[in-house]
Amino acid sequence: MTLSPSRRRLLATAVTLATTLLLPLSSASAEPFKLVGKPKIAFIYAASAKDGGWNESLDNARRVVEKEFGVKAAVAESIAEESSAVKNAIDLFVQRGFNIIVTTTYGYSDGVLEAAKKHPGVAFLAAAGTTNAANLESFYARTYEGWYLAGMAAAGVSTKKKLGVLGGFPVSVVNWDVNAFTRGAQAVDPATQAIVIYTNSWWDPVKEGQVAKAMLDQGADVIGNDLSSAGPFTAAEKAGKASVGFQLDMARHAPKGHVTSVVFRWEKHLVPTIRKIIAGTWTPSEYGAFPGMADGVVELTPLSAKVPAPVKAKIEDAKAKIIAGKLTPFDGPVLKQDGSTAVAAGASITDEALWSMDYLVKGSIGSMPATK
């Protein structure tokens, strides 16, 4: 099946960022950026803004931005992930006076950088981008923090001590979610295991439903879905089992069995960043922005009433520690599936190690397919 632009973006992002995130991708100025003209905001999407996942999470943030600043943001949808296409879209917006432009896919990275150089008085915020400059900052989220807490909740409702979790491709932005889910579950019950299956697709509702059913047949009683389709939730609901969602609140797909969803709150990053741009105090990081739960960008939806009170208390405690910087889901010791050490006891994982994560943790059932 052809990958949707919004999902294809994740694969390319992970592969590129695994080697470039911690390196300055282009020169960023130490001087605050000065916006030229009154603020006019535009968003550019590679597909429909209402895609049920990635784009929609950003479009939800757009509506909050509009309300916060009392403006009507312009939207361009289905702009191809090609430098020429995004540059043309940006040029048209700039000609109309738009000077704060939010782009939403890895595939725009090079084109946005070229546009930033061409339009130095325009501010660019690039979701899942890999380029940065004096007027351009890319950003992504620490989703693994939410998945750790979701794993705790899943273990709380599991009676079989066996979970299932679907991922798209075995790349870092998926691997850290899958592994955090497993480790969160083990923080509640060390005997818990997680069946991990990669679909080798970002969007295949039929296949995802079949994979979820196979996990249920293998004894999993909670299904975590790191993808966007309703297939896994439908399969779990039909079997009378529980499920965990991602990107948006997926409770509507599993009203009885939904435990929680790990969701993006991009407005928590975009609103304060745009406020700084308007105030003339914004200095883009040469490494991009990597916000998480402490910034409010990653959250859990309300926990199911089926999660036991003691587990809810543990989740709240872990959440508070993550926000305070006293806990990460990958504090050592972290053992790989084969028993070797990934993070030593007493150590914490680095951002560089996160972006190069290419293993499953101990307690995982299944294997990681080779990446091409």
Side-chain angles (χ1 to χ4, degrees):
M1 175 174 284
T2 301
L3 305 183
S4 69
S6 63
R7 303 303 288 164
R8 186 171 62 241
R9 179 269 321 155
L10 276 174
L11 176 60
T13 297
V15 172
T16 301
L17 291 183
T19 56
T20 64
L21 180 78
L22 298 181
L23 297 175
L25 297 167
S26 62
S27 178
S29 172
E31 295 296 322
F33 168 78
K34 300 301 181 184
L35 189 69
V36 175
K38 294 182 178 180
K40 291 187 67 176
I41 304 168
F43 282 66
I44 300 175
Y45 301 98
S48 168
K50 301 299 182 185
D51 67 346
W54 170 260
N55 283 353
E56 191 163 336
S57 69
L58 284 156
D59 202 57
N60 289 342
R62 174 188 60 81
R63 293 199 297 271
V64 176
V65 166
E66 289 180 330
K67 183 177 181 180
E68 184 71 23
F69 295 102
V71 300
K72 179 65 176 178
V75 173
E77 299 177 83
S78 300
I79 303 301
E81 290 185 80
E82 301 170 356
S83 290
S84 59
V86 72
K87 285 192 296 181
N88 287 340
I90 289 170
D91 285 345
L92 289 173
F93 276 134
V94 174
Q95 289 170 16
R96 294 164 54 193
F98 289 91
N99 54 9
I100 300 175
I101 297 177
V102 182
T103 61
T104 58
T105 175
Y106 159 85
Y108 293 159
S109 296
D110 291 340
V112 174
L113 179 60
E114 292 180 42
K117 293 177 179 177
K118 181 179 179 181
H119 305 291
V122 175
F124 295 89
L125 302 174
T130 61
T131 51
N132 300 283
N135 59 330
L136 161 64
E137 185 175 71
S138 293
F139 61 94
Y140 194 66
R142 298 180 184 272
T143 52
Y144 58 90
E145 295 175 340
W147 275 102
Y148 181 80
L149 301 182
M152 296 177 73
V157 301
S158 175
T159 60
K160 296 186 177 181
K161 301 186 179 185
K162 183 178 285 187
L163 316 178
V165 58
L166 292 82
F169 291 87
V171 293
S172 59
V173 295
V174 175
N175 297 338
W176 72 39
D177 288 348
V178 167
N179 286 332
F181 186 63
T182 303
R183 283 179 58 80
Q186 293 169 345
V188 170
D189 186 338
T192 301
Q193 296 178 300
I195 303 169
V196 180
I197 298 180
Y198 296 88
T199 63
N200 288 315
S201 170
W202 292 125
W203 178 257
D204 191 335
V206 173
K207 183 176 183 179
E208 290 164 30
Q210 293 171 339
V211 168
K213 186 178 184 303
M215 291 176 169
L216 294 165
D217 290 343
Q218 293 175 54
D221 59 357
V222 184
I223 301 297
N225 184 23
D226 200 49
L227 295 159
S228 300
S229 88
F233 306 108
T234 301
E237 193 82 348
K238 185 176 180 180
K241 304 301 181 183
S243 58
V244 172
F246 182 45
Q247 298 184 338
L248 300 175
D249 185 351
M250 297 296 179
R252 67 189 184 279
H253 298 308
K256 295 181 180 179
H258 182 257
V259 178
T260 188
S261 287
V262 179
V263 296
F264 291 116
R265 302 294 188 200
W266 291 119
E267 64 273 13
K268 299 293 186 178
H269 176 68
L270 290 176
V271 168
T273 302
I274 292 172
R275 186 174 288 118
K276 289 179 182 178
I277 292 171
I278 294 171
T281 59
W282 179 56
T283 304
S285 168
E286 63 182 343
Y287 304 105
F290 195 20
M293 296 198 80
D295 309 281
V297 173
V298 178
E299 289 186 355
L300 287 187
T301 58
L303 297 173
S304 166
K306 296 178 182 179
V307 179
V311 175
K312 287 183 177 179
K314 287 184 178 181
I315 292 171
E316 286 304 313
D317 181 64
K319 178 181 177 180
K321 289 178 179 177
I322 288 172
I323 291 173
K326 298 179 179 179
L327 171 70
T328 80
F330 299 106
D331 288 340
V334 177
L335 299 182
K336 297 182 181 180
Q337 190 178 32
D338 61 8
S340 62
T341 299
V343 181
S348 295
I349 199 165
T350 64
D351 283 355
E352 183 176 13
L354 278 168
W355 285 103
S356 60
M357 185 176 285
D358 61 356
Y359 57 85
L360 294 175
V361 295
K362 190 173 180 63
S364 303
I365 301 171
S367 59
M368 182 175 290
T371 55
K372 296 181 180 181

